[in-house]
Structures are given as structure tokens and as C-alpha cells.
């Protein structure tokens, strides 16, 4: 118990204590006393100004209301964002409410008896702390007030995000099967879909290149073969020419057989039948390629659409429960689109912050009370008495030290005198022993002289 709780201020004039209004008043044992205990009111001092009991009882009720609001705020936050079950939610909310109650109680109790210029300095820091705590407590309640609109905004935002993700997948994975190598598609490529039509298109391009190279070759060799066949027929029919290359003799003569043999040798060496077969196959393959490519595109498009849908569904599963940050972002988007939402959001937030700051603000706005004056006087008196107590203890300790020092000096003096007497007795004994030794030595010398004589 503090010094303030232990002492009661007694006025200088005691003649008025036995006449109305009686001072100190009878102790209050009702519910108001328990409310005032929350904010650290000393009932012994308040009994001298009982008219201020209702003020401080209501201030205690405001502190309890603020703590209850904090408990509700945390309950709303945990219930909405984390889906915490009720059996866990209630004790956690009560614990948080108790923490806020303790802190607000300290904020108010620490201002009792603060007077003069220091009053504003003391309240400034406490109001700042109250504003910070109020902002934290108010945010879940603001989100709760706009919960239906926020939830719809979150769901719409998720749908838009999924739609944009699906669009990016389609852009980076076209049904043509071509690989898009842009940096934004690095993490969006789908490589596990078989039957890409891009390979058929590439093959079609290569086939056309081969055909374009083969067609002139076949045409040239057909022309040469046709010339040799014509020459052989003319030779066998007996035709002649001015250059003399034809003999002009009809029938299957030597030149006729030689001409057909030359034609046949060219046909074998030129591989014209093989080239014509390859060209026919190429033309058939090229002509059938559009149909195969279309069929491949249809099958690939079906498989690719399924793969994109699977990717989209996997991303959708990662969203899970709507979190606190998602709700905050959704409310910000709503406020950006609507001035009414922006105004309502900030009005509600400011109101809740002010409610959370009410304990400190109420004490500040109530001004200087008689109870504060009595607490200040008792605190000053307690400090003065304590200083007197410390001074008395200091003087007692100094006196005790002086007595102890005198006792030590007395004991030292007695001990010194005892030591001095003992030294004198020892010196006398040593001198007597020395005299005795000298006499014995002199006697021995005399005996020695007499013997020698």
C-alpha cells in the first residue's frame, strides 16, 4: 500500500468536522467503489470530497467499456480472419480486454494529483498512446461495419485476379503450340501438354522447302529424258537432220538400239522415278497437312484448355480464408471508388479511436478536481515526511558511527597501554638476565686469574 493510501489529510481547522456536511464522509461500499478501484482511486482521500464519487465511478465505467470494446474488436478480428472457434475466441478476447483494462487503468491512475503546467505534458504522452491503441482496436470494427461490401469486393478481386492469370496463361501458351519466350511468360509456360501442332507446322514448312528444291530437279531430268526418248524414236523412224546426228535409216539398227540404251542408262542414273515418287509423296503430305494440323490444333486446344483450367483452379485453392490484409485492401479499393465509403470509413474510424481514448480524454476534460488537489497535497506531504524520515535516519546513522568510532578508539587505547606495560616487563627481565650473565662471566674471569697466579 502506498503512502497515499495509508494517510488521510486532516484540515487545519477541526471544528467543522462534527457539523454538516460531515468530513470525512462515511465510506461508500456500493458498486461505485469497485468502479473507482479500477482507476486507482483512494477512498480514504475521496471521503473528504464525496461529491466527486460519481465522476470517478463513471470514469471507471468508461475504462471498463473501452476494455470491453477492445475484447470485442479482437474477437471480431480473430473470428473473421482466422476462423477461430468460439471456445478459443472467448478466453482470448477476455485476456486482451484485461490487458487493455490494465493499461487504461494505469493511464488514468498515473494522472491523479497532476496539477499545474506539468498536467499538459503528462496528458500529451498518454493521449498519444491512447490514440495508437485506439487505432489498432478500431480497425477490426471498421472492417466489421463494412463486412458485406468488403467480402464481395474481395471475391470480385479474386475473380479478376484469376481471370487475369488465365488470360496470361492463354497468351503465353497459344493453341498454335508456339513457345513464347518473353520475360513475363517465363513462369507461365505449360510444357506438359502433348501433341503440339507447332511441330506439324514446322514439318510442313520443311516439306515445302524440300519440294521446292526437288521440283526443278525432277522437271530438268524429265526434260533431258524426254529429249533422249525423242532422239531415239526419230533415229528408229529414219528421221534425219541437218546436223547429221540422225542416220536417216529406219528400223532397229545399231544407232537405234544405242539411242534407246543411252535413254535407259540416263533413266537409271538420274533416279528420276525415285525423285518423282518422293515428289508425289511430298505433295500428298503437304496437301494433307492442313487437315492434320487442324485436327492436332483441336486436340491440343482441348488438352491445353484443361491444363490452363487446372492451373487456375490450383491458384484459386491457395486463396483460402479471407485475411485481414485482404479486407484492408478491399476497403481501400472501395474507398477509392466511392467518396461516401471513404467518408463513412474515416468517420467511423475517428469515432472508435475517440471512444478508445475516452478514459484519458475524460480525465483531461474534467479539469482540475478537488480530489487531484488533495492527492497532490498528500503526495507532497508524504514526500516531506519521507525526507524528514531519511534525514532522521541519516542523523541516527551518523551518531551510531561516532559512538562506534569512540568505542574503537577507547579499545585501541586500552590495548596500546596493555601492550606498552608488557613490553616494559619484558625489557626489565631481559636486563636482569643480562646483568646475571655479566656477573657470571666476571666470576669466571676472576677464578681464571687466581689459578694462573
Amino acid at each position: 500500500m502506498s503512502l497515499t493510501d495509508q494517510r488521510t489529510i486532516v484540515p487545519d481547522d477541526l471544528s467543522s468536522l462534527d457539523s454538516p456536511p460531515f468530513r470525512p464522509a462515511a465510506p461508500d461500499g456500493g458498486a461505485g467503489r469497485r468502479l473507482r478501484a479500477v482507476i486507482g482511486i483512494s477512498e480514504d482521500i475521496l471521503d473528504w470530497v464525496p461529491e466527486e464519487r460519481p465522476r470517478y465511478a463513471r470514469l471507471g465505467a468508461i475504462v471498463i467499456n473501452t476494455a470491453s470494446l477492445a475484447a470485442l474488436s479482437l474477437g471480431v478480428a480473430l473470428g473473421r480472419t482466422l476462423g477461430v472457434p468460439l471456445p478459443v475466441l472467448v478466453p482470448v478476447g477476455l485476456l486482451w480486454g484485461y490487458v487493455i483494462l490494465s493499461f487504461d487503468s494505469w493511464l488514468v491512475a498515473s494522472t491523479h494529483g497532476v496539477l499545474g503546467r506539468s498536467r499538459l505534458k503528462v496528458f500529451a504522452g498518454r493521449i498519444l498512446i491512447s490514440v495508437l491503441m485506439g487505432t489498432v482496436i478500431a480497425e477490426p470494427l471498421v472492417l466489421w461495419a463494412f463486412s458485406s461490401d468488403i467480402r464481395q469486393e474481395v471475391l470480385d478481386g479474386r475473380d479478376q485476379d484469376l481471370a487475369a492469370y488465365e488470360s496470361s496463361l492463354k497468351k503465353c501458351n497459344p493453341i498454335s503450340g508456339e513457345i513464347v519466350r518473353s520475360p513475363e511468360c517465363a513462369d507461365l509456360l505449360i510444357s506438359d501438354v502433348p501433341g503440339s501442332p507447332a511441330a506439324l507446322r514446322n514439318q510442313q514448312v520443311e516439306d515445302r522447302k524440300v519440294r521446292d528444291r526437288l521440283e526443278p530437279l525432277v522437271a530438268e531430268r524429265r526434260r533431258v529424258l524426254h529429249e533422249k526418248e525423242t532422239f531415239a524414236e526419230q533415229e528408229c523412224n529414219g528421221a534425219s537432220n541437218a546436223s547429221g546426228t540422225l542416220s536417216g535409216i529406219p528400223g532397229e539398227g545399231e544407232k537405234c538400239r544405242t539411242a534407246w540404251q543411252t535413254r535407259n542408262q540416263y533413266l537409271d542414273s538420274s533416279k528420276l522415278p525415285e525423285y518423282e515418287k518422293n515428289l508425289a509423296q511430298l505433295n500428298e503430305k503437304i496437301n494433307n497437312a492442313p487437315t492434320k494440323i487442324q485436327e492436332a490444333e483441336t486436340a491440343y486446344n482441348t488438352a491445353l484448355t484443361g491444363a490452363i483450367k487446372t492451373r487456375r483452379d490450383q491458384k484459386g485453392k491457395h486463396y483460402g480464408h479471407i485475411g485481414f490484409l485482404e479486407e484492408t485492401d478491399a476497403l481501400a479499393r472501395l474507398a477509392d471508388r466511392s467518396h461516401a465509403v471513404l467518408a463513412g470509413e474515416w468517420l467511423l474510424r475517428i469515432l472508435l479511436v475517440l471512444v478508445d481514448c475516452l478514459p484519458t480524454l475524460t480525465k483531461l476534460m474534467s479539469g482540475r478536481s478537488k480530489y487531484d488537489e488533495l492527492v497532490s497535497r498528500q503526495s507532497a506531504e508524504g514526500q516531506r515526511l519521507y525526507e524528514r524520515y531519511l534525514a532522521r535516519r541519516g542523523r541516527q546513522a551518523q551518531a551510531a558511527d561516532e559512538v562506534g568510532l569512540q568505542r574503537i578508539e577507547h579499545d585501541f587505547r586500552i590495548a596500546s597501554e596493555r601492550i606498552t606495560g608488557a613490553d616494559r616487563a619484558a625489557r626489565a627481565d631481559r636486563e636482569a638476565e643480562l646483568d646475571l650473565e655479566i656477573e657470571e662471566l666476571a666470576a669466571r674471569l676472576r677464578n681464571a686469574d687466581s689459578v694462573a697466579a
Side-chain angles (χ1 to χ4, degrees), residues 36-339:
R36 291 189 294 271
V38 172
I39 55 176
I41 294 296
S42 174
E43 293 293 330
D44 291 341
I45 299 178
L46 195 61
D47 289 343
W48 292 93
V49 281
E51 61 275 4
E52 295 193 358
R53 286 173 177 172
R55 171 196 292 186
Y56 287 104
R58 290 184 177 87
L59 184 56
I62 291 175
V63 172
I64 294 177
N65 293 337
T66 303
S68 302
L69 190 65
L72 176 63
S73 175
L74 182 65
V76 169
L78 293 179
R80 286 179 55 79
T81 59
L82 300 180
V84 178
L86 187 62
V88 178
L89 197 62
V90 171
V92 173
L94 291 177
L95 178 61
W96 177 243
Y98 171 74
V99 172
I100 299 301
L101 175 66
S102 302
F103 199 80
D104 283 343
S105 298
W106 171 80
L107 286 177
V108 175
S110 61
T111 60
H112 295 328
V114 179
L115 304 174
R117 296 180 179 178
S118 61
R119 181 180 178 86
L120 292 179
K121 294 181 180 179
V122 171
F123 275 96
R126 284 156 179 77
I127 290 176
L128 177 60
I129 295 174
S130 298
V131 170
L132 294 177
M133 292 182 59
T135 303
V136 174
I137 294 172
E139 197 62 27
L141 297 179
V142 172
L143 296 177
W144 187 27
F146 295 92
S147 59
S148 58
D149 295 329
I150 288 176
R151 179 175 178 81
Q152 187 61 45
E153 178 66 21
V154 170
L155 295 178
D156 293 343
R158 288 182 175 182
D159 291 340
Q160 294 174 4
D161 187 30
L162 289 176
Y165 179 69
E166 183 177 3
S167 177
S168 298
L169 287 175
K170 290 180 179 180
K171 177 182 177 182
C172 296
N173 300 276
I175 60 174
S176 62
E178 299 293 335
I179 298 177
V180 181
R181 303 188 182 280
S182 58
E184 59 270 16
C185 293
D187 298 329
L188 298 175
L189 296 178
I190 300 176
S191 59
D192 54 350
V193 179
S196 173
L200 295 178
R201 287 195 184 86
N202 294 335
Q203 185 62 45
Q204 184 186 34
V205 172
E206 293 298 325
D207 291 342
R208 285 176 176 173
K209 290 180 179 179
V210 174
R211 184 189 64 180
D212 292 341
R213 292 194 301 268
L214 189 59
E215 279 183 341
L217 179 63
V218 171
E220 175 63 20
R221 295 190 179 186
R222 281 178 179 174
R223 184 187 65 76
V224 174
L225 180 64
H226 178 70
E227 289 179 355
K228 293 184 179 298
E229 287 180 348
T230 302
F231 180 81
E233 290 175 353
Q234 290 176 351
E235 177 63 34
C236 294
N237 291 332
S240 60
N241 55 10
S243 60
T245 56
L246 294 174
S247 64
I249 302 172
E252 296 183 1
E254 181 66 23
K255 289 188 175 183
C256 176
R257 289 193 296 272
T258 301
W260 282 108
Q261 185 177 4
T262 302
R263 177 261 180 192
N264 292 334
Q265 288 177 351
Y266 178 79
L267 180 64
D268 293 337
S269 63
S270 64
K271 298 182 180 181
L272 181 60
E274 181 180 351
Y275 287 158
E276 289 179 335
K277 181 180 178 181
N278 291 339
L279 182 61
Q281 290 176 348
L282 281 174
N283 287 325
E284 182 181 4
K285 188 176 180 181
I286 291 172
N287 293 333
N288 294 333
T291 302
K292 292 183 178 181
I293 291 174
Q294 185 176 4
E295 292 175 353
E297 285 180 347
T298 302
Y300 183 77
N301 187 22
T302 302
L304 182 62
T305 301
I308 291 176
K309 184 178 183 301
T310 301
R311 289 279 189 96
R312 185 182 187 277
D313 294 341
Q314 290 176 350
K315 183 177 178 62
K317 291 179 181 179
H318 292 163
Y319 284 120
H321 194 78
I322 297 177
F324 185 82
L325 294 179
E326 269 190 303
E327 290 188 338
T328 304
D329 292 339
L331 181 59
R333 292 195 298 270
L334 289 173
D336 290 338
R337 295 200 301 265
S338 172
H339 295 294

